[in-house]
Amino acid sequence: KAFNVHTKVATFQKRHKSSFSDFEYLVSQPVSMSLPIGYDTSLLCEMNIVPDKFEWKFYPTDEPYNKAANIILSKASYRLIHEFRPNKKKSELLVPVKDELVAGDYQCLAYYGAFVVASVPWRITLARLGQSHPQKSVSVTVQAGNTVSWRCDVPESNPLAYVDYTKDDKYISPPDVGNRVKSMILPHVNVSESGVYKCSTTNTFEKRNLDSTLKLEVTHHAHEKAPFFISQPVSEHTATKGSTLFLECSAVGKPIPKVVWYKKSQSQLPAHRTEVIAGGLLIKNISSRDDGVYVCNHTNSHGSIFHEIMVKYREEPSLDCSINATDINQGENRDLECEVRGTPEPEISWFLNGFSVLNDSRIEAIGNKIYFRPIEKRHAGNLQIFARNIVQTVYSSIRIRVIPLPTSIDEIPTPLHNRPRHKPKKSRVTKRPSRQRAPKMIPPSKPVVSRVKDDTVVVRWNISNNNGLSILFFKVQYKEIPFANQTYTSNKGWNTANTDIAPNINAYEISDLKPDHFYKFRVAVVYSNNDSIMSQMSKKFHLRSIDFDKKNPLPVCLITHVETISHSSIKVYWNCPPFNVTIDGFYIHYLIATRAGDDYVVVTVEGSDVRSYVINYLHPETSYDVKLQSFNQKLASELSPMMKGRTGVSPVNPPTTTTPTPIITKGANIYVIIAGGVVGFALVVTGVILLFVCRKWQRNKLPDTQDKSNSIPNHIQADASDYMVESKTLSKANGCTLPGNKITITSNPLADTEKNPTVIEMRNLANNNVRQQPDSPSDTTLTNTSKDKHKRRNNIRESREDCSTDSNYV
């Protein structure tokens, strides 16, 4: 009759060292089972977090009766078994054992999007008790006081069979030595133990009597005889780490033999862990040092006999990958290595998101090392290394996050209406290639906006593949846009945040906004040539207010410690509690500790799995206050408690090496002194002549340079929080000079938009180099239009009566 055999369940933490970042792991404990045909079994795969789906892989074997069959996971063929159980942490696979085809390994796959966790396999083999070998019955007479050891040979069996011994149908208990002994041991026999002994064998599913008997006669007056074995002891034993091993070896004779045990290659036995007892040697807490050959020597006055026993040590595999997560840039080469231990040497298999990496042309896996040449976006996910030997199978995981390269989609093309419409003359065609070699100004990406509080947002952006001009600073601009079916009465211009944002920062916090209002944002970047370019505008953002009675679902992650990296860098480490919501990354807020009350600098860390970040461009020997938030596009978590960090000491400049002044001794040659003076005078005269020639050449070249400077477009100059325009290049509009020569940005532009608008006074608006992507025909477009008269008419309202009072909002 068929019945279910359920797998044992144990917690994952008992077998593995779980790290805080391992959010998805297997709770159930895979085991090996030997079942006869006609039985059913159910395999239970349980995860700590509900996956998107479950799937099973079945690896068949050609050795259905061998539980030690070597199945190499990365090379063996398999068959997928689809088992969809949405919204459940468990997947139960029913396996009816109908024939030999069901034997093999069963591996559970839990899908979390593209991230897949593969389990240690369950192994199912078929139970069988082989034919027993013919054994001779034994008849022996021994002197009372001897220790009798008799063993019946066990047939081949799966699972391993054990032997029961009886006398007159009464069961004889084996010695209590921590494991089942294959021999019958009768210590210090007396006359009453004479009789006929029989044996039988079983492997749980089948029991069989063995055709072997022992006729034992115990007497007080036996003939004197040299030591001898009633049954030849076993010559080989295997033992796993930490177990207890009993080496059976007992001889009888008259006088009663004395036994001595020793180990080859070292005469002494392991101290404090070995004990000589009746019938053999007991070794406790087996370790790798116990591997080797042991000898038992039985001696009396008529002779001696000895026997050698080989002990083979086995240890389950262990893995140490030193890291459990890594970020790799797309296109980079990366080598990963895990330390593997185990006896016998484990077989290594590498899996990426549940499947072997051997078919990936970009990956080479050799033993405990794996090479990505190079890494691609599809390699992101869960990298697992499996180590398997005859004792056990274990695995370790490394989360791989691939940072993709920017594509052409991320780069904002110049709008068609901003391009010159006149065709270049043929005479200038040959000059264009040289101009194209000049460094480009790469615009920022379209900003992404996230809510932090009811009146505060964080604006994030990046510069895609900036291999052009270096950046001086960023500026963030924003404006309020009307609700649907609402008359727009707010300031129509753009408001500009006062702060110059450092080139290494790609996020900025804007506060004092109006809850439940709509805004748009954009980012300007000023380059080393004092020219600037504008990003596309963000999507319309609704700064939604959150009810106080609703709990913030985002996790509050705690900073564990801040490590000093160098005189300008610190590294922040944090941990997060388990969470079931989606987060996009983290905000790191930092500020010099002595400047309490100032605005924190915000750094964005993309990715929910990252747990550390290096902050660069800091002041040496300075303490910083650091706080952390998790965020997604809807909101940000509460701030973590503050943690302090400090940069290192600035490296000391090497001492300047000075050439020592030669000391002229009394006996020095006078001609040497004269020659030195002549050479020095010649060098002075030569320097004066070269200086005169260079100044004359510079005066001759100055007119050409001045002419060229008049043709260079005017640039926005960076001075603190103002954009400056050179006074030498002031232009005129309708015959009058525009007043002012710089852009002035007022602070807190939204504090009172009616009474305190953001005013940007421009004297040379035609030469302004801030470019924007207009969101509507009414938006003001600021661009470098010194060569485009059509753009000048769109951007400059030329009016003689307004030229002294005209104001333009940016």
Side-chain angles (χ1 to χ4, degrees):
K1 183 178 179 180
F3 58 90
N4 289 335
V5 179
H6 294 275
T7 60
K8 298 178 181 178
V9 177
T11 58
F12 177 87
Q13 289 85 349
K14 291 182 180 179
R15 294 185 54 222
H16 299 273
K17 293 180 179 179
S18 60
S19 66
F20 203 91
S21 61
D22 291 336
F23 293 111
E24 304 90 0
Y25 56 82
L26 188 70
V27 175
S28 52
Q29 173 78 46
V31 295
S32 296
M33 294 172 286
S34 298
L35 302 173
I37 293 178
Y39 281 47
D40 296 340
T41 185
S42 56
L43 309 180
L44 180 63
C45 178
E46 182 178 358
M47 303 296 296
N48 69 317
I49 297 177
V50 178
D52 298 331
K53 69 173 184 178
F54 283 103
E55 199 170 44
W56 291 81
K57 290 167 71 177
F58 168 55
Y59 301 84
T61 178
D62 295 332
E63 304 177 70
Y65 299 96
N66 182 11
K67 68 176 183 179
N70 186 22
I71 299 178
I72 303 175
L73 297 177
S74 59
K75 299 178 181 179
S77 59
Y78 62 86
R79 176 168 56 89
L80 286 175
I81 304 173
H82 299 285
E83 183 76 5
F84 295 91
R85 298 217 180 242
N87 300 323
K88 289 187 178 181
K89 295 182 180 180
K90 302 177 183 179
S91 175
E92 188 172 357
L93 180 66
L94 179 64
V95 182
V97 184
K98 297 179 179 179
D99 50 35
E100 296 180 351
L101 299 179
V102 301
D105 284 355
Y106 292 80
Q107 188 175 42
C108 175
L109 305 181
Y111 285 78
Y112 299 86
F115 186 94
V116 183
V117 178
S119 73
V120 170
W122 285 258
R123 171 159 293 189
I124 295 179
T125 53
L126 300 184
R128 181 180 64 176
L129 183 62
Q131 295 297 322
S132 57
H133 304 289
Q135 299 183 56
K136 293 181 180 180
S137 296
V138 180
S139 179
V140 63
T141 301
V142 299
Q143 176 74 23
N146 276 282
T147 296
V148 174
S149 176
W150 176 58
R151 179 176 52 83
C152 291
D153 291 334
V154 179
E156 183 179 351
S157 175
N158 181 43
L160 290 177
Y162 53 90
V163 183
D164 290 331
Y165 295 91
T166 60
K167 177 193 175 186
D168 302 329
D169 297 327
K170 293 182 179 180
Y171 176 73
I172 300 175
S173 300
D176 184 13
V177 291
N179 63 344
R180 302 205 68 140
V181 179
K182 298 293 194 305
S183 300
M184 179 189 72
I185 298 176
L186 304 175
H188 313 299
V189 293
N190 53 44
V191 176
S192 63
E193 292 179 281
S194 299
V196 177
Y197 294 83
K198 296 181 180 180
C199 58
S200 63
T201 184
T202 180
N203 67 355
T204 302
F205 300 102
E206 184 178 355
K207 183 175 181 180
R208 181 181 304 161
N209 293 324
L210 301 177
D211 297 330
S212 180
T213 58
L214 168 65
K215 293 181 180 180
L216 177 63
E217 182 182 358
V218 181
T219 179
H220 292 290
H221 306 287
H223 297 289
E224 294 192 359
K225 195 172 184 179
F228 68 95
F229 296 119
I230 297 176
S231 298
Q232 188 71 13
V234 177
S235 298
E236 183 176 298
H237 287 274
T238 59
T240 58
K241 180 181 179 180
S243 64
T244 299
L245 178 64
F246 181 67
L247 305 182
E248 306 165 22
C249 182
S250 181
V252 295
K254 185 180 179 182
I256 298 173
K258 294 182 179 180
V259 61
V260 175
W261 285 86
Y262 62 92
K263 185 179 180 182
K264 278 191 172 182
S265 74
Q266 61 182 68
S267 58
Q268 294 183 352
L269 297 173
H272 309 298
R273 294 187 296 107
T274 57
E275 181 182 359
V276 178
I277 61 177
L281 177 69
L282 187 67
I283 307 175
K284 302 176 182 179
N285 193 18
I286 292 288
S287 68
S288 58
R289 300 189 302 272
D290 299 328
D291 190 272
V293 177
Y294 293 78
V295 180
C296 63
N297 192 329
H298 296 265
T299 305
N300 65 11
S301 57
H302 294 280
S304 64
I305 188 174
F306 69 91
H307 179 72
E308 294 184 353
I309 303 174
M310 168 67 73
V311 173
K312 292 184 177 180
Y313 172 77
R314 291 176 177 174
E315 181 178 346
E316 67 181 31
S318 62
L319 291 166
D320 183 6
C321 295
S322 71
I323 60 172
N324 53 30
T326 181
D327 290 353
I328 310 175
N329 292 323
Q330 180 186 355
E332 285 186 357
N333 294 337
R334 179 59 63 92
D335 302 340
L336 298 174
E337 180 179 359
C338 295
E339 183 180 350
V340 182
R341 293 180 296 273
T343 306
E345 183 178 355
E347 188 76 39
I348 304 298
S349 298
W350 288 92
F351 275 38
L352 181 60
N353 291 323
F355 295 88
S356 172
V357 301
L358 294 184
N359 296 326
D360 195 318
S361 60
R362 298 294 186 185
I363 299 178
E364 183 179 9
I366 303 176
N368 62 328
K369 299 178 181 179
I370 187 168
Y371 308 92
F372 293 87
R373 293 291 186 274
I375 198 160
E376 298 179 354
K377 287 187 288 187
R378 57 188 172 85
H379 295 144
N382 188 28
L383 179 67
Q384 293 176 273
I385 176 174
F386 286 82
R388 159 175 280 191
N389 65 11
I390 195 172
V391 182
Q392 201 174 15
T393 303
V394 298
Y395 77 83
S396 183
S397 298
I398 302 175
R399 290 171 176 261
I400 294 182
R401 179 171 177 261
V402 178
I403 302 174
L405 291 174
T407 62
S408 58
I409 298 176
D410 298 325
E411 298 181 6
I412 311 303
T414 304
L416 294 176
H417 56 267
N418 283 347
R419 298 176 183 172
R421 296 189 178 181
H422 60 278
K423 294 184 178 180
K425 298 180 180 180
K426 292 184 178 180
S427 59
R428 296 185 180 179
V429 171
T430 57
K431 295 183 181 180
R432 282 189 177 275
S434 62
R435 292 184 181 179
Q436 292 177 353
R437 295 192 195 101
K440 295 181 179 181
M441 295 187 299
I442 308 299
S445 65
K446 179 189 294 186
V448 177
V449 186
S450 300
R451 177 194 176 279
V452 177
K453 293 184 292 187
D454 286 351
D455 63 345
T456 305
V457 299
V458 169
V459 182
R460 313 194 314 272
W461 66 90
N462 61 70
I463 295 289
S464 300
N465 195 22
N466 183 28
N467 54 5
L469 292 168
S470 59
I471 299 172
L472 293 182
F473 57 86
F474 295 102
K475 285 282 187 179
V476 174
Q477 296 183 327
Y478 57 98
K479 69 177 180 180
E480 184 181 345
I481 59 176
F483 293 91
N485 301 324
Q486 179 187 16
T487 304
Y488 188 63
T489 59
S490 179
N491 184 0
K492 295 182 180 180
W494 286 88
N495 302 285
T496 305
N498 290 338
T499 307
D500 290 345
I501 305 167
N504 62 298
I505 303 299
N506 62 350
Y508 186 75
E509 186 176 280
I510 298 179
S511 57
D512 298 327
L513 302 179
K514 297 178 180 179
D516 291 318
H517 281 63
F518 289 86
Y519 292 91
K520 280 195 174 182
F521 301 82
R522 67 183 182 185
V523 179
V525 55
V526 179
Y527 288 90
S528 57
N529 65 346
N530 294 322
D531 202 350
S532 59
I533 197 168
M534 192 73 69
S535 72
Q536 285 183 320
M537 285 182 294
S538 68
K539 296 179 181 179
K540 182 172 65 174
F541 182 80
H542 182 201
L543 183 54
R544 194 185 308 273
S545 61
I546 303 298
D547 294 336
F548 290 104
D549 58 346
K550 291 184 179 179
K551 184 178 179 181
N552 192 329
L554 294 186
V556 177
C557 301
L558 301 180
I559 300 176
T560 57
H561 66 284
V562 180
E563 176 186 359
T564 301
I565 300 298
S566 68
H567 68 282
S568 62
S569 303
I570 58 176
K571 189 170 186 179
V572 183
Y573 297 86
W574 64 89
N575 277 338
C576 296
F579 54 88
N580 294 322
V581 296
T582 300
I583 66 173
D584 297 333
F586 303 90
Y587 294 137
I588 299 179
H589 305 254
Y590 65 93
L591 175 68
I592 296 177
T594 57
R595 296 183 182 177
D598 290 356
D599 293 334
Y600 279 78
V601 180
V602 181
V603 175
T604 304
V605 183
E606 301 286 349
S608 61
D609 299 331
V610 184
R611 292 297 179 269
S612 64
Y613 185 80
V614 176
I615 305 176
N616 297 306
Y617 307 103
L618 304 178
H619 297 291
E621 300 182 66
T622 305
S623 294
Y624 285 85
D625 295 337
V626 186
K627 296 185 288 187
L628 186 76
Q629 282 179 296
S630 61
F631 74 89
N632 56 25
Q633 191 168 358
K634 295 181 180 179
L635 74 166
S637 72
E638 300 297 328
L639 284 166
S640 70
M642 185 178 62
M643 181 73 72
K644 288 188 179 293
R646 185 176 178 85
T647 52
V649 180
S650 180
V652 180
N653 295 328
T656 305
T657 304
T658 58
T659 305
T661 304
I663 301 175
I664 307 298
T665 60
K666 205 169 186 180
N669 195 330
I670 190 63
Y671 296 105
V672 175
I673 300 175
I674 296 173
V678 172
V679 171
F681 178 77
L683 292 174
V684 172
V685 173
T686 303
V688 172
I689 295 173
L690 289 174
L691 180 62
F692 176 77
V693 172
C694 290
R695 295 192 63 178
K696 186 174 181 180
W697 175 79
Q698 189 175 9
R699 289 194 191 97
N700 295 335
K701 188 179 179 182
L702 189 56
D704 296 337
T705 306
Q706 292 175 348
D707 294 339
K708 292 181 181 180
S709 66
N710 293 331
S711 64
I712 297 177
N714 300 314
H715 300 292
I716 295 175
Q717 302 294 329
D719 182 15
S721 60
D722 300 331
Y723 293 117
M724 302 296 297
V725 181
E726 297 177 8
S727 59
K728 293 181 181 180
T729 58
L730 293 177
S731 62
K732 296 182 179 181
N734 294 333
C736 62
T737 304
L738 294 173
N741 67 339
K742 69 178 182 178
I743 302 173
T744 303
I745 301 170
T746 61
S747 60
N748 297 326
L750 284 183
D752 188 351
T753 56
E754 296 296 328
K755 298 179 181 180
N756 187 21
T758 301
V759 179
I760 303 177
E761 299 175 358
M762 304 180 62
R763 189 170 196 176
N764 192 4
L765 186 59
N767 293 324
N768 191 324
N769 292 327
V770 178
R771 304 181 182 96
Q772 80 175 59
Q773 303 289 346
D775 59 340
S776 66
S778 62
D779 288 338
T780 303
T781 303
L782 303 180
T783 180
N784 185 351
T785 58
S786 61
K787 296 181 181 180
D788 194 338
K789 294 181 179 179
H790 179 72
K791 291 303 175 188
R792 182 180 301 176
R793 288 195 298 270
N794 290 339
N795 294 324
I796 303 177
R797 298 178 181 179
E798 300 175 337
S799 175
R800 293 183 181 273
E801 59 273 18
D802 296 337
C803 67
S804 62
T805 60
D806 186 27
S807 298
N808 295 276
Y809 295 101
V810 178

